[in-house]
């Protein structure tokens, strides 16, 4: 007589790809108690094991710990073969459905951001995104980037949703250090965040002259004219300004007053 196979828990099984399924497989041949029963399970998917000790009864354990990305349907056959002549066997089929758990998207290592004062720049964020469920850029994924500046008074930051380009625009004449928070969200509204340092390096801004007439200056011979010239550097108020005049004609002088 054929030994009977029992699988516990019974029926079709469903798990997520971050869980482990354990099935107890047993068999006993009451009609032929002297026979030795050997248990087996096949085909074994990746990350599945089956351990069993022959006997009567025979006891085995099936374990399946699917990896991320291993979602799908698996059909396993658990069989029992006895040592009788001729040998007899029994088979129990088990259907296992592995569901994908929505894992957070992954943001790759973004280098520290830096730009000179008054100089906007762009960075393509596409190479820094990955997601098991939504796929990579070549798969037409639905990942969404957003960016928030840690100091809007120093620089603004945003991401173009159509191109995944990060735009950083420093405020005029501002410099210093802050950060940009990059957020990547997948189609299941699961997000990941990476904080990236941002440095706006100072540059020497040009001072502004005032009081210099536009165009030619015309006076009558024997008369005199006085022009008050001033200079201001609002962007770099700590700088010292030096006024000079070049190409002065005869009878002309220029005096700079501190």
């Amino acid at each position: 007589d054929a030994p009977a196979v029992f699988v516990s828990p019974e029926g079709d099984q469903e798990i997520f790809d971050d869980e482990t399924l354990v099935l107890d497989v047993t068999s006993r041949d009451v009609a032929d108690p002297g026979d030795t029963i050997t248990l087996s399970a096949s085909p074994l998917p990746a990350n599945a094991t089956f351990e069993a000790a022959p006997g009567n009864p025979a006891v085995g354990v099936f374990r399946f710990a699917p990896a991320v990305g291993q979602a799908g349907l698996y059909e396993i056959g658990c069989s029992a073969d006895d040592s009788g002549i001729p040998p007899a066997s029994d088979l129990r089929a088990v259907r296992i459905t592995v569901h994908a758990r929505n894992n957070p998207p992954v943001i790759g290592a973004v280098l520290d951001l830096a730009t000179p004062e008054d100089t906007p720049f762009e960075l393509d964020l596409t190479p820094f995104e990955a997601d098991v469920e939504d796929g990579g850029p070549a798969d037409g994924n639905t990942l969404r980037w957003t960016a928030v500046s840690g100091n809007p008074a120093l620089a603004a930051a945003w991401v173009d949703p159509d191109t995944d380009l990060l735009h950083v625009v420093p405020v005029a004449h501002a410099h210093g250090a802050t950060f940009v928070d990059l957020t990547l969200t997948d189609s299941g509204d699961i997000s990941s965040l990476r904080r990236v340092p941002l440095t706006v390096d100072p540059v020497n801004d040009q001072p502004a002259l005032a009081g210099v007439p536009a165009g030619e200056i015309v006076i009558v011979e024997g008369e005199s004219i006085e022009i008050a010239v001033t200079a201001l550097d609002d962007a770099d108020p700590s700088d010292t300004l030096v006024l000079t005049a070049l190409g002065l004609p005869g009878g002309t002088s220029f005096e700079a007053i501190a």
Side-chain angles (χ1 to χ4, degrees), residues 24 45 76 83 86 104 138 155 166 173 198 220 232:
D24 293 321
I76 312 299
S83 59
L166 168 67
H173 308 310
L198 168 64
V220 177
L232 186 64

Side-chain angles (χ1 to χ4, degrees), residues 88-201:
S89 63
D90 187 25
L91 177 69
R92 185 65 53 91
V94 180
R95 292 166 57 93
I96 304 171
T97 302
V98 179
H99 299 285
R101 183 87 70 183
N102 187 14
N103 296 280
V106 177
I107 301 177
V110 181
L111 297 177
D112 292 358
L113 307 175
T115 187
E117 180 182 318
D118 300 327
T119 305
F121 74 94
E122 300 174 350
L123 176 65
D124 185 4
L125 296 177
T126 303
F128 304 102
E129 65 183 41
D131 189 85
V132 173
E133 292 79 28
D134 287 359
D139 301 321
N141 63 34
T142 55
L143 301 176
R144 307 185 307 277
W145 286 98
T146 57
V148 177
S149 171
N151 183 4
L154 175 62
W158 72 92
V159 178
D160 186 324
D162 296 322
T163 62
D164 285 348
L165 284 179
L166 168 67
H167 295 263
V168 177
V169 179
V171 175
H173 308 310
H175 57 267
T178 183
F179 58 85
V180 175
D181 279 340
L182 298 175
T183 301
L184 184 61
T185 305
D186 66 15
S187 59
D189 288 330
I190 303 296
S191 299
S192 295
L193 181 143
R194 181 179 288 272
R195 177 163 290 182
V196 183
L198 168 64
T199 302
V200 180
D201 297 315

